[in-house]
Every structure is written in structure tokens, then in C-alpha cells.
Tab-separated table of all heavy atoms in Angstrom:
chain	number	residue	atom	x	y	z
A	16	VAL	N	-7.720	51.941	93.944
A	16	VAL	CA	-7.127	52.845	94.938
A	16	VAL	C	-7.342	52.296	96.343
A	16	VAL	O	-6.454	52.385	97.204
A	16	VAL	CB	-7.720	54.270	94.794
A	16	VAL	CG1	-7.286	55.158	95.956
A	16	VAL	CG2	-7.278	54.898	93.479
A	17	ASP	N	-8.505	51.723	96.575
A	17	ASP	CA	-8.797	51.143	97.898
A	17	ASP	C	-7.865	49.986	98.233
A	17	ASP	O	-7.588	49.714	99.408
A	17	ASP	CB	-10.253	50.657	97.945
A	17	ASP	CG	-11.244	51.811	97.998
A	17	ASP	OD1	-10.819	52.949	98.287
A	17	ASP	OD2	-12.445	51.582	97.728
A	18	GLU	N	-7.376	49.301	97.180
A	18	GLU	CA	-6.517	48.139	97.401
A	18	GLU	C	-5.030	48.504	97.469
A	18	GLU	O	-4.206	47.691	97.897
A	18	GLU	CB	-6.719	47.116	96.264
A	18	GLU	CG	-8.109	46.491	96.230
A	18	GLU	CD	-8.258	45.529	95.056
A	18	GLU	OE1	-7.227	44.992	94.601
A	18	GLU	OE2	-9.394	45.326	94.600
A	19	MET	N	-4.689	49.706	97.062
A	19	MET	CA	-3.275	50.091	96.974
A	19	MET	C	-2.712	50.508	98.330
A	19	MET	O	-3.395	51.149	99.132
A	19	MET	CB	-3.101	51.241	95.973
A	19	MET	CG	-3.406	50.860	94.539
A	19	MET	SD	-3.399	52.293	93.413
A	19	MET	CE	-1.630	52.555	93.208
A	20	THR	N	-1.449	50.174	98.542
A	20	THR	CA	-0.753	50.649	99.737
A	20	THR	C	-0.284	52.084	99.489
A	20	THR	O	-0.263	52.566	98.347
A	20	THR	CB	0.471	49.776	100.035
A	20	THR	OG1	1.424	49.937	98.976
A	20	THR	CG2	0.076	48.301	100.159
A	21	LEU	N	0.129	52.763	100.533
A	21	LEU	CA	0.627	54.121	100.393
A	21	LEU	C	1.861	54.151	99.495
A	21	LEU	O	2.001	55.041	98.641
A	21	LEU	CB	0.960	54.709	101.768
A	21	LEU	CG	1.540	56.130	101.773
A	21	LEU	CD1	0.607	57.109	101.066
A	21	LEU	CD2	1.809	56.578	103.215
A	22	ASP	N	2.758	53.185	99.649
A	22	ASP	CA	3.948	53.122	98.799
A	22	ASP	C	3.562	52.995	97.331
A	22	ASP	O	4.174	53.636	96.457
A	22	ASP	CB	4.827	51.930	99.197
A	22	ASP	CG	5.594	52.192	100.474
A	22	ASP	OD1	6.634	52.846	100.389
A	22	ASP	OD2	5.149	51.751	101.545
A	23	GLU	N	2.568	52.175	97.048
A	23	GLU	CA	2.145	51.962	95.664
A	23	GLU	C	1.512	53.221	95.073
A	23	GLU	O	1.704	53.537	93.893
A	23	GLU	CB	1.167	50.790	95.593
A	23	GLU	CG	1.834	49.440	95.816
A	23	GLU	CD	0.841	48.300	95.940
A	23	GLU	OE1	-0.285	48.540	96.450
A	23	GLU	OE2	1.171	47.176	95.538
A	24	LYS	N	0.773	53.936	95.894
A	24	LYS	CA	0.147	55.177	95.421
A	24	LYS	C	1.204	56.225	95.089
A	24	LYS	O	1.155	56.884	94.042
A	24	LYS	CB	-0.820	55.713	96.472
A	24	LYS	CG	-2.062	54.862	96.672
A	24	LYS	CD	-2.910	55.376	97.832
A	24	LYS	CE	-4.117	54.490	98.072
A	24	LYS	NZ	-4.927	54.940	99.237
A	25	ILE	N	2.162	56.380	95.986
A	25	ILE	CA	3.217	57.380	95.748
A	25	ILE	C	4.032	57.013	94.512
A	25	ILE	O	4.377	57.879	93.697
A	25	ILE	CB	4.120	57.516	96.989
A	25	ILE	CG1	3.317	58.088	98.162
A	25	ILE	CG2	5.318	58.417	96.687
A	25	ILE	CD1	4.065	58.097	99.490
A	26	ALA	N	4.302	55.703	94.349
A	26	ALA	CA	5.069	55.260	93.177
A	26	ALA	C	4.325	55.581	91.880
A	26	ALA	O	4.949	55.868	90.847
A	26	ALA	CB	5.338	53.763	93.271
A	27	GLU	N	3.008	55.541	91.933
A	27	GLU	CA	2.181	55.800	90.742
A	27	GLU	C	2.240	57.265	90.315
A	27	GLU	O	1.933	57.600	89.170
A	27	GLU	CB	0.730	55.397	91.041
A	27	GLU	CG	-0.163	55.282	89.836
A	27	GLU	CD	0.256	54.166	88.890
A	27	GLU	OE1	0.810	53.143	89.361
A	27	GLU	OE2	0.050	54.334	87.684
A	28	MET	N	2.672	58.133	91.225
A	28	MET	CA	2.619	59.581	90.970
A	28	MET	C	3.908	60.132	90.359
A	28	MET	O	4.234	61.299	90.533
A	28	MET	CB	2.311	60.310	92.281
A	28	MET	CG	0.897	60.036	92.788
A	28	MET	SD	0.704	60.324	94.570
A	28	MET	CE	1.387	61.954	94.745
A	29	THR	N	4.641	59.273	89.639
A	29	THR	CA	5.852	59.723	88.949
A	29	THR	C	5.751	59.347	87.475
A	29	THR	O	5.051	58.392	87.112
A	29	THR	CB	7.115	59.072	89.540
A	29	THR	OG1	7.015	57.649	89.391
A	29	THR	CG2	7.280	59.417	90.994
A	30	GLN	N	6.461	60.095	86.615
A	30	GLN	CA	6.455	59.749	85.190
A	30	GLN	C	7.108	58.401	85.001
A	30	GLN	O	8.023	58.030	85.731
A	30	GLN	CB	7.143	60.846	84.362
A	30	GLN	CG	8.604	60.616	84.007
A	30	GLN	CD	9.555	60.888	85.165
A	30	GLN	OE1	9.159	61.215	86.283
A	30	GLN	NE2	10.845	60.745	84.889
A	31	ASP	N	6.612	57.651	84.009
A	31	ASP	CA	7.153	56.315	83.724
A	31	ASP	C	7.126	55.408	84.953
A	31	ASP	O	8.048	54.611	85.174
A	31	ASP	CB	8.601	56.410	83.205
A	31	ASP	CG	8.646	56.725	81.719
A	31	ASP	OD1	7.574	56.790	81.108
A	31	ASP	OD2	9.741	56.916	81.179
A	32	ALA	N	6.082	55.529	85.770
A	32	ALA	CA	5.979	54.646	86.939
A	32	ALA	C	5.986	53.195	86.465
A	32	ALA	O	5.274	52.843	85.520
A	32	ALA	CB	4.687	54.941	87.702
A	33	PRO	N	6.796	52.351	87.077
A	33	PRO	CA	6.852	50.950	86.627
A	33	PRO	C	5.521	50.240	86.849
A	33	PRO	O	4.705	50.654	87.677
A	33	PRO	CB	7.956	50.351	87.507
A	33	PRO	CG	8.028	51.252	88.703
A	33	PRO	CD	7.669	52.607	88.229
A	34	ALA	N	5.306	49.188	86.094
A	34	ALA	CA	4.065	48.422	86.240
A	34	ALA	C	3.968	47.849	87.653
A	34	ALA	O	4.972	47.454	88.248
A	34	ALA	CB	4.034	47.303	85.210
A	35	ASN	N	2.763	47.833	88.181
A	35	ASN	CA	2.491	47.242	89.492
A	35	ASN	C	2.009	45.818	89.261
A	35	ASN	O	0.852	45.587	88.886
A	35	ASN	CB	1.423	48.075	90.210
A	35	ASN	CG	1.111	47.574	91.604
A	35	ASN	OD1	1.098	46.369	91.863
A	35	ASN	ND2	0.830	48.501	92.507
A	36	GLU	N	2.920	44.860	89.434
A	36	GLU	CA	2.595	43.465	89.141
A	36	GLU	C	1.525	42.928	90.083
A	36	GLU	O	0.660	42.141	89.686
A	36	GLU	CB	3.866	42.602	89.238
A	36	GLU	CG	4.989	43.021	88.291
A	36	GLU	CD	4.630	42.789	86.836
A	36	GLU	OE1	3.687	42.018	86.573
A	36	GLU	OE2	5.291	43.400	85.968
A	37	ARG	N	1.549	43.338	91.332
A	37	ARG	CA	0.598	42.805	92.323
A	37	ARG	C	-0.845	43.111	91.946
A	37	ARG	O	-1.724	42.252	92.043
A	37	ARG	CB	0.907	43.403	93.707
A	37	ARG	CG	0.039	42.829	94.825
A	37	ARG	CD	0.415	43.428	96.163
A	37	ARG	NE	-0.122	44.762	96.355
A	37	ARG	CZ	-1.360	45.025	96.835
A	37	ARG	NH1	-2.169	44.026	97.143
A	37	ARG	NH2	-1.751	46.269	96.993
A	38	LEU	N	-1.084	44.347	91.469
A	38	LEU	CA	-2.452	44.756	91.158
A	38	LEU	C	-2.726	44.835	89.659
A	38	LEU	O	-3.831	45.204	89.245
A	38	LEU	CB	-2.738	46.123	91.803
A	38	LEU	CG	-2.732	46.138	93.332
A	38	LEU	CD1	-2.859	47.570	93.851
A	38	LEU	CD2	-3.870	45.276	93.870
A	39	GLY	N	-1.734	44.491	88.863
A	39	GLY	CA	-1.949	44.497	87.415
A	39	GLY	C	-2.073	45.888	86.822
A	39	GLY	O	-2.762	46.084	85.814
A	40	ILE	N	-1.400	46.879	87.426
A	40	ILE	CA	-1.443	48.254	86.909
A	40	ILE	C	-0.324	48.427	85.884
A	40	ILE	O	0.851	48.223	86.209
A	40	ILE	CB	-1.288	49.281	88.043
A	40	ILE	CG1	-2.415	49.124	89.066
A	40	ILE	CG2	-1.285	50.701	87.471
A	40	ILE	CD1	-2.246	49.983	90.306
A	41	PRO	N	-0.657	48.801	84.657
A	41	PRO	CA	0.363	48.905	83.615
A	41	PRO	C	1.177	50.190	83.718
A	41	PRO	O	0.779	51.152	84.377
A	41	PRO	CB	-0.469	48.905	82.324
A	41	PRO	CG	-1.771	49.527	82.733
A	41	PRO	CD	-2.014	49.100	84.161
A	42	ALA	N	2.311	50.199	83.042
A	42	ALA	CA	3.136	51.411	82.945
A	42	ALA	C	2.567	52.317	81.854
A	42	ALA	O	1.845	51.876	80.960
A	42	ALA	CB	4.576	51.040	82.623
A	43	MET	N	2.887	53.603	81.942
A	43	MET	CA	2.478	54.580	80.933
A	43	MET	C	3.725	55.356	80.531
A	43	MET	O	4.207	56.209	81.266
A	43	MET	CB	1.405	55.527	81.494
A	43	MET	CG	0.915	56.574	80.509
A	43	MET	SD	-0.563	57.473	81.104
A	43	MET	CE	0.105	58.319	82.553
A	44	LYS	N	4.265	55.033	79.350
A	44	LYS	CA	5.529	55.600	78.909
A	44	LYS	C	5.314	56.971	78.279
A	44	LYS	O	4.336	57.187	77.569
A	44	LYS	CB	6.188	54.657	77.904
A	44	LYS	CG	7.614	55.038	77.528
A	44	LYS	CD	8.221	53.982	76.615
A	44	LYS	CE	9.654	54.351	76.243
A	44	LYS	NZ	10.262	53.341	75.355
A	45	TYR	N	6.244	57.892	78.523
A	45	TYR	CA	6.092	59.248	77.995
A	45	TYR	C	7.137	59.565	76.942
A	45	TYR	O	8.167	58.900	76.811
A	45	TYR	CB	6.184	60.277	79.127
A	45	TYR	CG	7.602	60.630	79.542
A	45	TYR	CD1	8.217	61.765	79.044
A	45	TYR	CD2	8.322	59.828	80.423
A	45	TYR	CE1	9.521	62.102	79.417
A	45	TYR	CE2	9.617	60.148	80.801
A	45	TYR	CZ	10.214	61.285	80.296
A	45	TYR	OH	11.494	61.607	80.648
A	46	GLY	N	6.856	60.603	76.161
A	46	GLY	CA	7.795	61.126	75.178
A	46	GLY	C	7.412	62.551	74.824
A	46	GLY	O	6.396	63.066	75.302
A	47	GLU	N	8.202	63.196	74.017
A	47	GLU	CA	7.887	64.531	73.497
A	47	GLU	C	7.383	64.386	72.066
A	47	GLU	O	7.782	63.474	71.342
A	47	GLU	CB	9.126	65.426	73.522
A	47	GLU	CG	9.642	65.761	74.913
A	47	GLU	CD	8.839	66.850	75.613
A	47	GLU	OE1	7.910	67.400	74.983
A	47	GLU	OE2	9.157	67.153	76.779
A	48	ALA	N	6.524	65.319	71.632
A	48	ALA	CA	5.925	65.185	70.300
A	48	ALA	C	5.715	66.525	69.615
A	48	ALA	O	4.849	66.661	68.767
A	48	ALA	CB	4.589	64.442	70.414
């Protein structure tokens, strides 16, 4: 979190946020079950 920009933080706060290549943050895919 300390290394993330504001844009990167906001992008992380959505479903299916794309992977962050710069910081190596993976995507988390959703579905219904």
C-alpha cells in the first residue's frame, strides 16, 4: 500500500481489478455459486 499510487489503489477497489504488473498484484476473478 505504501508503494501504490492513488490511481492504483482506486483501481484495486473494483471487482475483477486487472493485475498490477508494476507491483506484481494479481487479479481476483469473481463468479456466482
Side-chain angles (χ1 to χ4, degrees):
V16 171
D17 288 345
E18 294 178 26
M19 294 173 77
T20 66
L21 178 57
D22 284 278
E23 288 172 328
K24 291 174 183 178
I25 294 173
E27 194 65 31
M28 292 158 51
T29 61
Q30 97 283 2
D31 278 356
N35 182 323
E36 301 293 342
R37 184 178 78 86
L38 295 173
I40 300 173
M43 180 169 64
K44 189 175 180 180
Y45 82 97
E47 294 282 356

